[in-house]
Amino acid sequence: VLPTVDCGHNIIFDVDDLNNFAGKGSYFQTFDASITIGKGTWIAKNVGIITSNHDLLNPSQHVKGEDVVLGKECWIGMNSTVLPGVVLGDKTIVGAGSVITKSFKDGNCIIAGNPARVIKNI
């Protein structure tokens, strides 16, 4: 299963880093916001990155999107989910199966869990 990309024109990445889209089963959703992927970042299989959620009062509608930014040389582990508005600083490593609900702008850390939290600074 190849990655699924909704609104691919809203994904910003270095064209030399096509490995960003090598993860089978991954999902990139950019309805009305953007996903920025820093140079040298790796995204594993089955990762979901979304910029918008469903409206709680009307699930057939989406709320306004928020940009997602992944810094340089990050590593997003298999089966992880990155939610709207998240900013990961350079060299952030995300443990497999994590749900990233908030930003870790300083980077240089390992985050994991649901919700993700810093488990080690590097």
Side-chain angles (χ1 to χ4, degrees):
V1 177
L2 296 174
T4 300
V5 178
D6 284 334
C7 301
H9 64 279
N10 288 339
I11 299 178
I12 303 159
F13 64 99
D14 187 296
V15 295
D16 293 330
D17 277 352
L18 290 179
N19 55 285
N20 294 324
F21 306 101
K24 294 181 180 178
S26 293
Y27 177 67
F28 301 87
Q29 176 250 70
T30 60
F31 293 147
D32 64 349
S34 65
I35 296 173
T36 301
I37 303 170
K39 186 163 180 62
T41 288
W42 287 84
I43 299 171
K45 296 177 180 180
N46 298 319
V47 168
I49 303 175
I50 64 170
T51 61
S52 182
N53 276 311
H54 291 273
D55 186 317
L56 295 176
L57 300 176
N58 184 358
S60 66
Q61 300 292 318
H62 283 90
V63 296
K64 183 172 176 8
E66 298 177 66
D67 295 340
V68 171
V69 178
L70 307 180
K72 297 176 185 172
E73 298 179 21
C74 292
W75 171 15
I76 313 301
M78 181 183 245
N79 298 318
S80 294
T81 303
V82 182
L83 296 178
V86 165
V87 176
L88 298 182
D90 296 346
K91 298 184 181 185
T92 299
I93 297 171
V94 177
S98 296
V99 178
I100 303 90
T101 61
K102 67 178 185 175
S103 294
F104 296 88
K105 295 179 182 180
D106 292 337
N108 295 295
C109 61
I110 301 170
I111 61 174
N114 180 6
R117 62 180 176 80
V118 175
I119 59 172
K120 183 176 184 175
N121 289 303
I122 51 174

